[in-house]
Amino acid sequence: MYFEDKRILAGIAGAIIVSAGAGFEIARWTADPAAPAEQAANAQETAHADRLALSADAIRNAGIGVEEIRAGGLGSEIVAQAMVAPSPSGEAVVTARAGGAVTRVFKRLGDPVRAGEALAIVESRDAAQIASERTAAAARATLAERNLARERYLYEQKVSARAEYESAQAEAAAAAAEARRAQAAAGAANVTSDGRGTVVASPISGRVTAESVMLGAFVQPEAELFRVADPRLVQVEASVGPADMARLAAGDRAVIELPDGKMVEGRVRSVTPTLSGDTRAATAVIDVTGGMLQPGLGVRVRLYPSVGAPSSAIVVPEDALQSVDGKDAVFIRTSQGFRAQFVTIGQRSAGRVEILSGLKPGQLVATKNAFLLKAELGKGAGEEE
């Protein structure tokens, strides 16, 4: 009996051991697969800790500016102050064609105008005289044509002499020439249809940028009444030093930095061959290839001369450079938002800094308001902790 009980206890112990082993196996097969998944998730979070997911609307609403970077060190670009000026065909001075009193004013400062549109009307005795001369010259030309037709008929009928016919031809030609002159004078004065005044019209489309006219005021001939400028027809005039002047050529690339942080592309059209007597600087004239700039706006220009110091370094604005975890970094635009990229910097000059390593030409880098991305990245790291 004792041995039988002992065999039963041994069987129970063996079953317990087998059950324990099976439980261990079950735990291993059910728990182990979760551990690598969790480790992979943690690794993925660590790998993307330097990334920010932002939509295009969020980037635009935050006012974050992005610029495409290009190769070339500080020696391969010229930073200069410049002024937006109207091109020769982009601004018009509108004057009174004849002296008289202003009877009507159609446009005021800032109003849009079309080419040929009336800005004001000046009632003038000079205009009335021009209109009467036009009418008289037209009447004389008509009479001369009739006399010529009559003399031609008489000459063909052998009634009058050839000399009389030729005299009538000369008189008709002179009268026609006088009529054309009077018509051209009336057109140049832009005489109204009733002949009492002149129409002050804009020769170009744009906006009224200056006015010096009042209703009822008397104006002298050729007095300036309006200025009209077309914001699409502007040029940027940059002051460059004597050393930089020789490095620039027509067609060189330029980037215009606006006060609001936006960038506008341009091309150098010409560089003055002499230096200004006051500033001892040359003027680089830049054609704007995109955007609408207001004349008189002060801007900063980056010029990329065709003759420059060769360098493989990349230059970015200092505003693009941020400190992330105590290291210099910039934020690169990605399809999902931005990614922090650590870089090695070189020399600095005029608000620009060279990037010796960490970036490649053609990448898009956050420039304006890049500090917002740094703050957002830091906030995300704090939430994770």
Side-chain angles (χ1 to χ4, degrees):
M1 185 71 177
Y2 171 77
F3 292 105
E4 184 177 356
D5 293 339
K6 189 174 182 179
R7 285 196 301 271
I8 293 172
L9 290 174
I12 294 173
I16 292 174
I17 294 173
V18 172
S19 299
F24 175 77
E25 289 295 326
I26 294 173
R28 185 172 66 86
W29 286 106
T30 56
D32 285 354
E38 183 177 357
Q39 293 174 0
N42 293 335
Q44 186 175 6
E45 289 180 1
T46 303
H48 295 286
D50 59 345
R51 298 178 184 269
L52 289 172
L54 293 174
S55 64
D57 292 338
I59 294 172
R60 182 171 56 255
N61 294 335
I64 299 173
V66 177
E67 179 181 345
E68 181 180 353
I69 56 178
R70 299 171 181 261
L74 290 173
S76 63
E77 69 176 26
I78 301 170
V79 180
Q81 298 299 319
M83 184 73 68
V84 180
S87 66
S89 59
E91 185 179 37
V93 177
V94 185
T95 61
R97 303 298 178 88
V102 179
T103 58
R104 299 191 67 179
V105 177
F106 302 108
K107 296 292 182 179
R108 288 299 186 184
L109 189 66
D111 289 348
V113 297
R114 300 185 306 273
E117 187 176 5
L119 305 180
I121 292 180
V122 176
E123 193 172 271
S124 170
R125 288 179 296 178
D126 296 338
Q129 182 178 356
I130 294 172
S132 64
E133 291 177 355
R134 177 182 60 183
T135 303
R140 286 193 296 269
T142 302
L143 179 60
E145 283 293 330
R146 291 176 180 175
N147 290 335
L148 176 60
R150 183 172 59 255
E151 289 297 332
R152 181 185 298 112
Y153 175 76
L154 294 176
Y155 173 71
E156 291 174 353
Q157 298 298 320
K158 309 297 182 180
V159 174
S160 63
R162 181 180 181 84
E164 294 178 357
Y165 172 55
E166 292 177 348
S167 177
Q169 282 183 319
E171 291 177 2
E178 178 63 19
R180 289 193 297 270
R181 185 202 64 79
Q183 180 65 32
N190 212 358
V191 177
T192 58
S193 57
D194 59 4
R196 298 179 55 184
T198 63
V199 178
V200 180
S202 172
I204 65 172
S205 298
R207 288 186 177 272
V208 178
T209 58
E211 64 167 346
S212 54
V213 60
M214 293 183 63
L215 191 64
F218 185 88
V219 296
Q220 297 292 338
E222 306 305 325
E224 179 181 327
L225 303 182
F226 299 90
R227 280 181 182 259
V228 178
D230 188 347
R232 299 171 301 176
L233 303 176
V234 296
Q235 62 189 24
V236 177
E237 299 176 357
S239 298
V240 296
D244 296 328
M245 156 187 180
R247 299 170 55 196
L248 291 172
D252 287 348
R253 177 174 174 259
V255 175
I256 299 97
E257 299 179 354
L258 303 183
D260 60 0
K262 295 182 179 179
M263 307 291 178
V264 178
E265 289 286 332
R267 291 287 175 183
V268 176
R269 179 162 56 87
S270 62
V271 181
T272 55
T274 58
L275 302 178
S276 171
D278 298 331
T279 62
R280 306 304 300 168
T283 301
V285 181
I286 302 165
D287 288 331
V288 181
T289 57
M292 298 177 64
L293 307 180
Q294 294 297 329
L297 180 66
V299 296
R300 191 171 74 164
V301 175
R302 298 201 311 269
L303 303 169
Y304 297 89
S306 52
V307 180
S311 174
S312 59
I314 291 172
V315 179
V316 298
E318 285 188 340
D319 294 340
L321 192 66
Q322 301 295 321
S323 178
V324 178
D325 296 334
K327 300 178 183 179
D328 294 320
V330 298
F331 287 91
I332 298 177
R333 183 75 164 91
T334 64
S335 59
Q336 302 297 326
F338 287 93
R339 172 175 60 85
Q341 175 64 44
F342 295 108
V343 296
T344 302
I345 66 172
Q347 59 182 336
R348 301 171 184 253
S349 177
R352 309 281 289 173
V353 57
E354 276 189 345
I355 305 298
L356 302 180
S357 63
L359 293 180
K360 296 183 295 184
Q363 290 179 314
L364 297 177
V365 172
T367 54
K368 181 185 176 184
N369 292 335
F371 67 92
L372 297 177
L373 299 175
K374 173 188 174 181
E376 188 68 19
L377 188 65
K379 182 172 66 175
E383 291 175 354
E384 290 178 4
E385 292 177 1

